[in-house]
Amino acid sequence: MRYSKPHYYDHFKCLAGKCPDTCCAGWQICIDEESLAQYKKRSSETAFGNRLFHSIDWEEGTFYQYAGRCAFLNEHDLCDLQAQLGETALCDTCRMYPRHVEEFDGLRELSLSLSCPEAARMILTCEEPLQLLQWETLEEEESFEDDEMDYLLFTRLEDAREVIISILQNRNLDIEERMKQVLELAEEMQRCMDENRDFDMDDVIEAGRSGILKARLSAEVSHAERYSDFCREFEVFRRMELLRPEWGRTLECVWDALYADGFEKYEKICRQFHDFCEASERNHIRRQEIGEQLMMFFVYTYFCGAVYDDEIAVKIRLAVFSVRWIQELVMYRYLENGERLSMDDVIELSWRYAREVEHSDMNLEILEEWLM
């Protein structure tokens, strides 16, 4: 079995009651079958067992929620189930989060979810280039198997991701240029797949590795084009499932502040924000590093999943879309906070975005279909 994980993965430690939010509210918590069986056994043992029985939707295999909060989440944002029965009693979802596993035949890729405030802090404050630690084990382990998985395509996706990572970590280039280059590589690979020229993907990957991939994308996007793009893209958020009411309020405030009054106001805000970012070398460097680490997160988490749906380009479009919108949210927060804008603001907006987009199958499906 092969494994892969970010170099900071093992340093994660839950903040528990000190967390600025809770992972036990705003979304359904699915319970694995083994835990369900254990909970059913305990349900007749004690008064807490009775509470346990009546706090589970046994048909759906989820914990009930009250006012959007898990039935076991107390007023201190701590878990009564863990307090009463210990950490070993937690279901797989609760025990693992924010640790995430993407599993392919013979490969497990471990990551931390951007939707967790502490994980987001670790991801976004990492100043050095992300290192992916890889190792193999000889012992046989139960692993996911998919007889229909295209192993040749998966090998190409792994090779392409390696090239994409090298491009994203080339700090001699502006992050916008890096995003354009990796998007172009993915678009070229998608064209090969759509035209049944699978073997030509090898040439595209090699061209990306050599830095000679032909550029089709324009070198620079004007403020007018940017404004038009964001106004159009904003509509996809209106179609998504709303997991937290405060996210809906944030989106409406963003629309009113940035787009509702037309292009001229938007252009003025862009220039002010650009001047703020460029006012100090430190601000400029951090903006580049944040964009890089966000792209690395989305690419590492989603790109190789194209082996299951053949949507290579969509995986990179999702990464670019997410980074651009998080940047846009940060610009909105700059309007609110001015020069008091901090790294904490960037971290908060990133995990809030991730919670709404990544943790709803419906939202991911809506966004990926739109990006097609």
Side-chain angles (χ1 to χ4, degrees):
M1 175 69 69
R2 290 190 297 140
Y3 291 85
S4 174
K5 66 182 177 182
H7 68 273
Y8 49 70
Y9 179 86
D10 291 331
H11 299 302
F12 173 80
K13 185 175 181 181
C14 178
L15 297 179
K18 295 181 180 179
C19 184
D21 204 344
T22 174
C23 54
C24 304
W27 48 48
Q28 278 193 330
I29 300 173
C30 296
I31 308 170
D32 59 283
E33 292 184 7
E34 184 176 343
S35 295
L36 276 173
Q38 291 299 317
Y39 296 158
K40 187 165 288 188
K41 284 182 181 179
R42 291 178 179 270
S43 63
S44 61
E45 295 175 353
T46 62
F48 187 82
N50 185 58
R51 177 187 172 187
L52 180 61
F53 180 82
H54 291 287
S55 297
I56 294 174
D57 183 333
W58 295 96
E59 185 174 337
E60 295 294 329
T62 61
F63 290 113
Y64 282 124
Q65 290 190 339
Y66 302 105
R69 294 165 63 87
C70 175
F72 287 104
L73 185 63
N74 64 32
E75 66 274 17
H76 303 294
D77 283 343
L78 297 175
C79 176
D80 283 340
L81 191 152
Q82 180 174 349
Q84 288 285 329
L85 304 180
E87 186 174 352
T88 56
L90 295 176
C91 65
D92 287 350
T93 301
C94 297
R95 188 175 64 255
M96 285 291 294
Y97 183 82
R99 300 167 187 86
H100 176 75
V101 180
E102 285 290 332
E103 187 157 348
F104 307 94
D105 194 1
L107 172 64
R108 285 183 182 146
E109 297 194 329
L110 316 180
S111 62
L112 297 177
S113 299
L114 185 66
S115 55
C116 166
E118 177 60 9
R121 184 195 66 78
M122 294 175 67
I123 292 167
L124 295 174
T125 58
C126 182
E127 298 185 6
E128 68 271 22
L130 173 68
Q131 299 176 50
L132 295 177
L133 306 181
Q134 299 176 336
W135 72 100
E136 292 188 41
T137 58
L138 296 178
E139 65 271 18
E140 290 188 11
E141 299 183 44
E142 183 180 349
S143 65
F144 172 81
E145 294 185 7
D146 186 349
D147 294 335
E148 297 182 2
M149 188 169 117
D150 186 334
Y151 295 99
L152 183 56
L153 173 59
F154 185 73
T155 299
R156 290 188 175 115
L157 290 172
E158 282 195 290
D159 291 343
R161 188 174 63 177
E162 181 181 331
V163 172
I164 287 169
I165 288 173
S166 69
I167 294 172
L168 289 174
Q169 294 185 332
N170 180 5
R171 296 185 174 181
N172 293 320
L173 297 176
D174 185 87
I175 186 59
E176 298 292 336
E177 177 60 30
R178 289 180 253 172
M179 289 195 293
K180 288 173 185 173
Q181 287 191 17
V182 299
L183 182 56
E184 181 57 35
L185 187 150
E187 298 284 4
E188 286 282 2
M189 289 185 67
Q190 190 69 56
R191 278 188 279 271
C192 291
M193 173 166 285
D194 292 344
E195 296 168 8
N196 295 317
R197 297 184 291 109
D198 291 9
F199 287 102
D200 288 347
M201 281 194 275
D202 298 329
D203 295 331
V204 174
I205 295 169
E206 187 55 39
R209 182 178 287 112
S210 304
I212 59 173
L213 188 66
K214 181 180 178 182
R216 296 176 184 236
L217 299 173
S218 59
E220 193 169 339
V221 176
S222 69
H223 283 146
E225 291 173 304
R226 183 183 178 93
Y227 173 77
S228 177
D229 286 345
F230 280 120
C231 287
R232 177 175 53 84
E233 291 171 2
F234 194 88
E235 292 305 310
V236 76
F237 288 119
R238 299 188 191 277
R239 290 161 28 197
M240 289 183 181
E241 174 187 22
L242 191 63
L243 300 185
R244 298 282 186 94
E246 56 267 31
W247 177 250
R249 292 192 290 270
T250 296
L251 287 177
E252 291 308 313
C253 289
V254 168
W255 175 263
D256 291 341
L258 298 183
Y259 313 116
D261 294 332
F263 164 66
E264 289 186 5
K265 179 181 177 181
Y266 178 78
E267 183 181 33
K268 182 179 179 181
I269 295 169
C270 284
R271 295 192 185 281
Q272 290 174 346
F273 184 60
H274 178 270
D275 290 344
F276 167 76
C277 292
E278 300 297 316
S280 73
E281 183 179 3
R282 180 61 182 159
N283 281 351
H284 173 75
I285 291 174
R286 288 304 293 134
R287 177 180 172 275
Q288 299 289 312
E289 290 173 350
I290 290 166
E292 175 186 318
Q293 300 297 4
L294 284 171
M295 282 295 297
M296 288 292 295
F297 166 79
F298 286 105
V299 167
Y300 175 61
T301 304
Y302 292 104
F303 183 73
C304 286
V307 73
Y308 296 119
D309 61 13
D310 295 342
E311 295 294 344
I312 300 171
V314 166
K315 300 300 182 282
I316 299 299
R317 291 175 197 162
L318 172 65
V320 172
F321 177 95
S322 297
V323 172
R324 290 172 68 244
W325 269 103
I326 290 172
Q327 291 172 338
E328 205 76 351
L329 291 168
V330 172
M331 185 167 73
Y332 159 71
R333 184 62 61 85
Y334 166 74
L335 281 181
E336 290 188 313
N337 292 358
E339 294 190 2
R340 292 181 290 109
L341 181 74
S342 69
M343 191 64 196
D344 288 340
D345 292 313
V346 179
I347 293 168
E348 178 201 337
L349 292 167
S350 297
W351 62 255
R352 288 195 184 279
Y353 171 91
R355 287 195 170 197
E356 293 292 327
V357 172
E358 289 190 278
H359 287 272
S360 164
D361 291 339
M362 179 189 297
N363 287 348
L364 269 179
E365 183 178 342
I366 288 171
L367 183 53
E368 290 198 346
E369 285 183 359
W370 187 83
L371 289 169
M372 291 179 190

